[in-house]
Amino acid sequence: MTNPFDLGGRVALVTGANTGLGQGIAVALAEAGADVAAVGRSAPTETEARVTALGRRFAWIEASLDTHAPVQGVVDAARERLGGIDILVNNAGTIRRNDALDFTEDDWDAVMGVNLKTLFFLSQAVARSWVASKRGGKIVNIASMLSFQGGIRVASYTASKSAVLGVTRLLANEWAGKGINVNAIAPGYFATNNTEALRNDQTRNAAILDRIPAGRWGDPADLGGAAVFLSSAASDYVHGAVLPVDGGWLAR
Ligand code: NAP
């Protein structure tokens, strides 16, 4: 029987794959058989070593994703270097922490640019290439618990991640009929650079752990199964869904 989770022969473009969740996702997709195009501004040396050790092809496409400017070049580079894109994982993201009373325009724009604007325009560029070649594909957006909750001191992050959920649903509505699956993963609290400030704050760290039924912070490898599922034929009839991978946080 064919394995519906097999990604052999597919190319996955993963943004922000040099570290954290993006690295965990890139390695999981490679374990399932995919070659990986890692897009970002920092050299993904460790990710490259882990992906190539699995016998998969790997390309680093250097780009800063704050603006729309590099988007078409990224898609073209993936086609030139790995022959095309079958899976897009919009993972790159950033966060600014400040009281709402003190939040600046820069705090707002820096987060919305990478977390939302580039996610949309990269999805658009990849989907245009799929529609032009009359084929489908898989888009997986990385949302957050703050796609559902308000959070505190992270105004632009909450705005961006709430919007990621809305845009995921909108794109699913427009593109499901074209054979393009657009879905999201909502990670809970994972031990990465993004959450270092929280983990270093003893009070916040204890409060967060107290609410997680699994009783621990997530490890990037914990996202692998959800990423493979939403990138594979196993999810061909799944559109506009958000899959929490949160140790039970939302169930509380
Ligand atoms: P991370 O370790 O800080 O990784 C963030 C990634 O995004 C890095 O590869 C970073 O590249 C890249 N990035 C940020 N700004 C960029 C820009 N302007 N241009 C290009 N690349 C950029 O954090 P993470 O936790 O793995 O975050 C990955 C995603 O998961 C984000 O969307 C985040 O919001 C989301 N998320 C994380 C958690 C969590 O608990 N950790 C929970 C929910 C959602 P550099 O290394 O070059 O900065």
Side-chain angles (χ1 to χ4, degrees), residues 68-87:
H68 175 274
V71 162
Q72 192 56 47
V74 163
V75 175
D76 294 343
R79 189 182 312 116
E80 279 158 26
R81 296 182 58 189
L82 294 178
I85 301 166
D86 301 287
I87 300 154

Side-chain angles (χ1 to χ4, degrees), residues 16-22 40-42 63-66 91-94 114-115 142-145 157 161 187-195 217:
N18 59 303
T19 186
L21 303 190
R41 56 191 178 183
S42 306
S64 181
L65 300 172
D66 307 283
N91 164 78
T94 193
V114 60
N115 290 18
I142 303 305
S144 164
M145 293 296 97
Y157 188 82
K161 293 296 184 178
Y189 287 79
F190 280 69
T192 67
N193 301 333
N194 175 293
T195 53
W217 285 78

Side-chain angles (χ1 to χ4, degrees), residues 26-38:
V27 171
L29 297 181
E31 282 170 344
D35 297 322
V36 174

Side-chain angles (χ1 to χ4, degrees), residues 103-167:
F103 223 73
T104 66
E105 186 175 2
D106 185 59
D107 290 334
W108 187 267
D109 290 342
V111 174
M112 295 298 267
V114 60
N115 290 18
L116 182 62
K117 186 165 76 175
T118 303
L119 173 147
F120 173 79
F121 283 106
L122 195 51
S123 302
Q124 180 193 60
V126 171
R128 280 178 175 166
S129 75
W130 288 336
V131 170
S133 51
K134 297 191 168 45
R135 45 157 302 186
K138 303 276 181 179
I139 297 178
V140 182
N141 295 325
I142 303 305
S144 164
M145 293 296 97
L146 300 191
S147 302
F148 307 99
Q149 300 177 305
I152 187 165
R153 303 189 74 247
V154 288
S156 53
Y157 188 82
T158 301
S160 71
K161 293 296 184 178
S162 297
V164 163
L165 199 45
V167 164

Side-chain angles (χ1 to χ4, degrees), residues 1-16:
M1 183 186 144
T2 330
N3 175 0
F5 299 97
D6 180 20
L7 299 180
R10 311 274 170 83
V11 173
L13 190 150
V14 184
T15 65

